[in-house]
Amino acid sequence: LHEIKTALLFNRYNIKERHGKGVLVTSVNEIRGLRFKYLFLGGMVDGEFPTRYQPAIFFSGEHRKRRDERRHLLEERYRFYQAMCVPEKCLYVTYPLKGDKKELTESSFVTDLEKLFYVENKSENDFKNFIGSKEELFKAFGKSELEDPSGLLNSDEISEAIKIDSLRKNEAFAESPYTGYINENISNEAKNKLLSFKKREFSASQLEEYAKCPFRYFVNRVLSLETIEEPTEEIEAFEIGSLVHSIFYKFYSEIHKKGIELNGCSDKEFKDAEKLLFKIAEEKVNKIKFVSPASFFEREKIFGINGKKENSILYHFLLTERESEEGFIPEYFEYAFGNIANKSPVSSIEFDGIKLRGKVDRIDLNKNDKTFKVVDYKLGGKKPSKDDLSKGISLQLPLYMYASKILIQAEHNEEYYPFAAEIYSLKLTQKDFGRKTISISSSRKMDHDERIEMNENIVKIAIESIVKYVNLIASGDFRLSQLEGRETKVCVYCEFKSICRIQEVS
């Protein structure tokens, strides 16, 4: 195998191409004996062509002979000579002046060539007024640098294209089919497809995507375009999130059976709960098999940095649960509604004919004053802003409050009221870990009734926004994002940036 690998270094490999068709990009070895009208030799720098001689210290005797320095230079010269015999009209020789922050030296072959032949140097000034393609002709005509090139182009067609391009740049958000408002001049089949969206089930993430950028929703959800992602050995955030969710779900199912309440529990009950939680986590993690070095720190965060349980997500979670003093008891876990629901008393959630689906991580009840909390676990721990809630851009927690109220009423045959919706941050820092309550009020102190009224208002805003978004989707309104601060909120992480026109209008 070693001998074969060594021999491969000195052999040529043929590329199958249709001779005389298009542009052939290949190595110098591959053009021996061929004829082309034009030949471009790029990268003519010292060390690249001719390549540097490297002594074959570790090769066997047979291969070492082939690597003689003099023979190496002769072979490189002959390859260059063969390349010069290929072009019938012109030979273009190019070399970069700089690379990797250092100046490069032109090949000795170029120096020798200039001594033997008359060489004409070309610069971009030689091609300043040169039109070499149809695209360049379009551009020149569009800039009004040319008169109507009669006989070459359809000037009416080009004028219309210029008009459309001008509309997209100067009136990027107008109601026009060229700006993403596609309800005009489309087939009945396309209209019916858009109308069918009203019959679909929507998740909060889908509707939030439309709220932030209708064009992104169109590309992703209507056209179903996908981007090619690089594979990674690291565990994705959503995978860690799913793992932690499943650990907490099984943990609470077990302590409910044992009648343990973490809120204000004794030291013995806390130790029992700790032992149970870490045991469940160990079983779950071992099934996934964290084997790559990249996943080591993720495991550390779950079980404890440097092997200390006190520095783990699990231990911080138990402490936070124990210190809760508002009288709420965790009652429902992983409550799903819509077509993903399983054995739920309320499988369908809808309003105005709009069907919704989702899964609530946790619902806590206070049976004394008939109120509930919606709890959503997040690894990052960032809660939605007051502005996003007020404008109907953040929809997940408001939708979960709406669905939870229906579920609780079906289960208890009593009406419960939304006291809070919380992001449960699992970010392993002292200031970030724990519960973060969403709000649209500027007041830090609210009484019991004011909090319920505010949360019902949040739900109302979300419902009105969802109805608006679904109607806009069905009507074919997929214009660019008009969200304030869209560059940092939406565009910066968008995988469809390369096919979006937002950079032209920003």
Side-chain angles (χ1 to χ4, degrees):
L1 183 61
H2 173 73
E3 291 291 319
I4 291 173
K5 286 181 177 180
T6 306
L8 290 177
L9 297 173
F10 310 107
N11 282 278
R12 296 168 58 250
Y13 307 94
N14 294 314
I15 302 170
K16 291 183 179 180
E17 296 282 351
R18 292 181 63 191
H19 182 61
K21 299 290 183 181
V23 177
L24 176 65
V25 181
T26 185
S27 66
V28 174
N29 281 332
E30 290 302 310
I31 58 175
R32 184 176 62 177
L34 300 179
R35 301 291 288 171
F36 295 96
K37 291 182 180 179
Y38 302 94
L39 178 69
F40 295 82
L41 282 179
M44 294 292 292
V45 294
D46 189 41
E48 294 292 333
F49 197 28
T51 57
R52 289 190 180 91
Y53 169 71
Q54 294 180 339
I57 298 173
F58 299 105
F59 289 159
S60 64
E62 180 183 350
H63 293 300
R64 191 182 297 119
K65 293 176 184 177
R66 299 186 62 184
R67 300 296 294 169
D68 175 76
E69 182 176 3
R70 180 174 171 278
R71 178 170 182 149
H72 171 78
L73 184 58
L74 284 173
E75 287 177 352
E76 293 291 279
R77 284 183 174 180
Y78 191 61
R79 287 170 62 208
F80 184 60
Y81 164 73
Q82 288 177 326
M84 290 180 60
C85 295
V86 168
E88 296 176 353
K89 288 189 175 182
C90 285
L91 169 67
Y92 291 86
V93 177
T94 69
Y95 55 91
L97 298 176
K98 293 183 179 180
D100 294 331
K101 299 180 181 180
K102 65 178 182 179
E103 293 188 2
L104 300 174
T105 305
E106 66 181 45
S107 168
S108 59
F109 290 166
V110 176
T111 306
D112 293 340
L113 196 66
E114 289 178 331
K115 294 177 182 177
L116 297 173
F117 297 95
Y118 168 73
V119 178
E120 182 182 357
N121 290 315
K122 296 281 187 182
S123 71
E124 62 181 53
N125 292 328
D126 293 292
F127 304 95
K128 193 172 182 180
N129 299 315
F130 180 78
I131 296 175
S133 68
K134 189 176 181 180
E135 182 182 358
E136 290 177 0
L137 180 60
F138 281 150
K139 286 180 179 179
F141 184 66
K143 293 176 182 176
S144 301
E145 294 175 358
L146 297 175
E147 298 294 328
D148 181 9
S150 181
L152 291 175
L153 299 169
N154 184 335
S155 57
D156 292 336
E157 182 183 333
I158 293 177
S159 297
E160 181 65 18
I162 293 170
K163 181 180 175 182
I164 292 168
D165 196 53
S166 177
L167 171 70
R168 284 174 166 172
K169 287 182 178 179
N170 301 322
E171 300 178 59
F173 306 105
E175 291 188 2
S176 165
Y178 303 110
T179 58
Y181 195 75
I182 61 171
N183 62 342
E184 298 177 11
N185 302 323
I186 59 174
S187 66
N188 289 330
E189 183 183 358
K191 287 180 180 177
N192 290 333
K193 180 170 182 179
L194 289 175
L195 289 172
S196 71
F197 275 80
K198 280 194 169 185
K199 300 177 183 178
R200 297 188 181 186
E201 274 191 350
F202 290 91
S203 67
S205 59
Q206 290 174 344
L207 293 165
E208 285 179 352
E209 183 176 29
Y210 182 86
K212 292 175 182 177
C213 182
F215 176 73
R216 176 191 165 93
Y217 179 92
F218 175 71
V219 172
N220 192 24
R221 308 287 180 178
V222 181
L223 299 183
S224 299
L225 299 186
E226 295 181 358
T227 56
I228 299 173
E229 297 182 2
E230 290 292 328
T232 175
E233 289 187 5
E234 296 182 14
I235 299 178
E236 300 286 353
F238 76 89
E239 294 175 305
I240 293 291
S242 298
L243 173 64
V244 174
H245 280 58
S246 67
I247 292 170
F248 291 162
Y249 174 71
K250 187 170 182 182
F251 169 70
Y252 262 114
S253 300
E254 292 289 330
I255 66 171
H256 264 221
K257 291 176 186 177
K258 297 182 179 184
I260 299 174
E261 288 187 7
L262 290 176
N263 185 0
C265 66
S266 65
D267 289 343
K268 183 183 183 304
E269 288 175 321
F270 184 84
K271 282 293 181 184
D272 291 342
E274 178 189 334
K275 185 178 179 181
L276 176 62
L277 179 58
F278 277 83
K279 180 185 175 184
I280 291 170
E282 194 72 47
E283 292 171 353
K284 294 280 186 183
V285 171
N286 287 340
K287 285 182 180 179
I288 295 178
K289 295 182 180 178
F290 285 64
V291 293
S292 74
S295 65
F296 171 77
F297 187 56
E298 303 301 334
R299 184 185 178 99
E300 285 267 292
K301 286 192 290 185
I302 294 173
F303 292 105
I305 306 297
N306 295 327
K308 295 181 180 179
K309 286 185 176 181
E310 293 76 11
N311 294 336
S312 69
I313 288 175
L314 301 182
Y315 193 83
H316 278 257
F317 172 76
L318 287 173
L319 284 179
T320 306
E321 293 296 281
R322 186 186 194 183
E323 294 166 1
S324 177
E325 297 178 350
E326 293 181 326
F328 285 88
I329 305 299
E331 187 76 21
Y332 300 102
F333 310 95
E334 302 291 323
Y335 160 54
F337 56 92
N339 61 16
I340 60 174
N342 183 24
K343 297 180 181 179
S344 170
V346 181
S347 59
S348 179
I349 299 290
E350 62 179 272
F351 46 79
D352 284 8
I354 299 170
K355 297 177 182 178
L356 302 165
R357 70 169 184 265
K359 184 184 287 186
V360 187
D361 291 343
R362 191 171 116 192
I363 305 170
D364 295 357
L365 298 186
N366 187 328
K367 295 182 180 180
N368 293 326
D369 61 7
K370 300 294 184 285
T371 56
F372 69 90
K373 280 185 178 184
V374 166
V375 180
D376 192 47
Y377 301 122
K378 296 287 186 187
L379 287 176
K382 186 178 180 181
K383 71 174 183 177
S385 68
K386 181 172 68 174
D387 191 51
D388 285 353
L389 290 165
S390 300
K391 293 180 178 178
I393 295 169
S394 181
L395 301 169
Q396 186 181 54
L397 287 175
L399 176 57
Y400 287 176
M401 282 195 286
Y402 178 82
S404 298
K405 186 171 184 177
I406 295 173
L407 164 73
I408 297 167
Q409 190 162 9
E411 282 277 5
H412 294 264
N413 201 24
E414 287 184 279
E415 188 172 8
Y416 276 63
Y417 300 95
F419 185 77
E422 297 176 337
I423 292 292
Y424 203 128
S425 171
L426 302 174
K427 192 172 183 180
L428 201 54
T429 58
Q430 192 169 1
K431 67 172 185 176
D432 293 320
F433 199 96
R435 300 165 180 266
K436 299 179 180 180
T437 305
I438 67 168
S439 174
I440 58 171
S441 173
S442 55
S443 174
R444 292 189 177 182
K445 292 184 178 180
M446 289 185 287
D447 61 29
H448 182 274
D449 292 336
E450 286 174 336
R451 291 189 68 167
I452 292 174
E453 184 182 355
M454 180 196 69
N455 286 313
E456 288 180 335
N457 192 28
I458 290 175
V459 171
K460 182 182 177 184
I461 292 170
I463 289 174
E464 290 173 352
S465 299
I466 289 171
V467 172
K468 181 180 77 172
Y469 297 147
V470 173
N471 286 332
L472 288 172
I473 290 168
S475 68
D477 190 345
F478 301 106
R479 287 173 282 183
L480 297 174
S481 174
Q482 299 181 57
L483 189 66
E484 186 177 350
R486 60 175 176 252
E487 291 81 6
T488 54
K489 287 184 177 180
V490 184
C491 302
V492 66
Y493 299 115
C494 182
E495 63 268 35
F496 301 108
K497 192 186 297 183
S498 60
I499 58 172
C500 180
R501 293 179 287 105
I502 198 66
Q503 300 300 326
E504 296 177 11
V505 300
S506 294

